[in-house]
Amino acid sequence: MTTGTPPPTARRRSRARTFVPLAIAAWAVLEIWLLIVVGDVAGGFTVLLLLAAGVVLGAVVMKAAGRRAFRNLTETLQQMPGQPGASGSSPAPSSSRGNGFLMLGGLLIMIPGMISDVAGLLLLVPPVRSALSKYAERSLERRMRRTAPGGLSDAFQQARMHRPDGKVVQGEVIREDPSHPDENPRPPLTP
């Protein structure tokens, strides 16, 4: 059965979908190799203690970062106009930045492996965290400036118009106005 629409073309696979799994596999192999090397030099019990200490330290860091983020959120919400005891001005920007990177550092420390531990410990250093935060903010601002206005609303419109099988459903809504009676009204129903 032909519908008059051309068949969908195969989409080209992006570089990220090709290289990210390869990078993750290489990272995992390197982590395992480093654990084996450290185990040969320092002993298996030492490696086990390092891994356990990493899990504990990562959990403590993540818990502290989560509490700090929640405290900042409640302070910001309490300073909003209309809240009891709030000043009429807009809330001041938060003095602590990089809670997300602090949580990421804790997560990387919790992941078993030496490379992830070093990356997580680097994220615990405040200058590194603030530099990454500024870089991420600039990158996000650049991407937001590049996007066309109305891009998100156009995406929602396209999602509403297309059926899951890819076919476009077009239609028209006709609403009868009750203020104008029909030219041929129906007779009342009588038993």
Side-chain angles (χ1 to χ4, degrees):
M1 180 169 126
T2 60
T3 60
T5 59
T9 58
R11 295 178 64 173
R12 199 172 140 222
R13 189 175 183 147
S14 70
R15 287 185 193 170
R17 288 188 67 192
T18 302
F19 290 117
V20 168
L22 292 174
I24 291 173
W27 169 70
V29 167
L30 189 60
E31 289 278 20
I32 293 169
W33 178 75
L34 278 174
L35 285 174
I36 291 172
V37 168
V38 171
D40 284 343
V41 171
F45 187 69
T46 306
V47 171
L48 183 65
L49 285 177
L50 283 173
L51 293 177
V55 169
V56 171
L57 178 65
V60 168
V61 168
M62 286 183 67
K63 185 177 180 180
R67 283 185 176 171
R68 192 168 98 181
F70 186 74
R71 184 175 52 245
N72 290 338
L73 176 67
T74 56
E75 288 173 0
T76 303
L77 289 176
Q78 288 174 353
Q79 293 174 358
M80 302 245 340
Q83 295 295 324
S87 61
S89 63
S90 63
S94 177
S95 60
S96 65
R97 294 174 62 141
N99 276 335
F101 285 117
L102 195 60
M103 286 185 170
L104 179 63
L107 180 67
L108 285 173
I109 292 171
M110 286 180 75
I111 294 174
M114 299 298 160
I115 297 172
S116 61
D117 287 348
V118 169
L121 288 172
L122 278 175
L123 285 175
L124 296 183
V125 178
V128 173
R129 221 176 30 243
S130 65
L132 279 174
S133 179
K134 289 176 185 175
Y135 173 75
E137 192 173 324
R138 281 194 309 263
S139 175
L140 183 64
E141 285 175 0
R142 249 185 277 126
R143 286 184 183 197
M144 293 297 285
R145 273 188 253 125
R146 268 192 267 148
T147 58
L152 190 58
S153 64
D154 292 342
F156 282 123
Q157 182 68 21
Q158 289 295 324
R160 282 190 1 219
M161 280 178 40
H162 288 79
R163 290 179 29 190
D165 60 0
K167 296 179 183 176
V168 176
V169 178
Q170 296 188 3
E172 183 176 316
V173 177
I174 301 173
R175 181 176 52 185
E176 295 181 17
D177 192 6
S179 63
H180 298 308
D182 290 339
E183 295 169 359
N184 298 327
R186 291 185 179 165
L189 295 174
T190 55

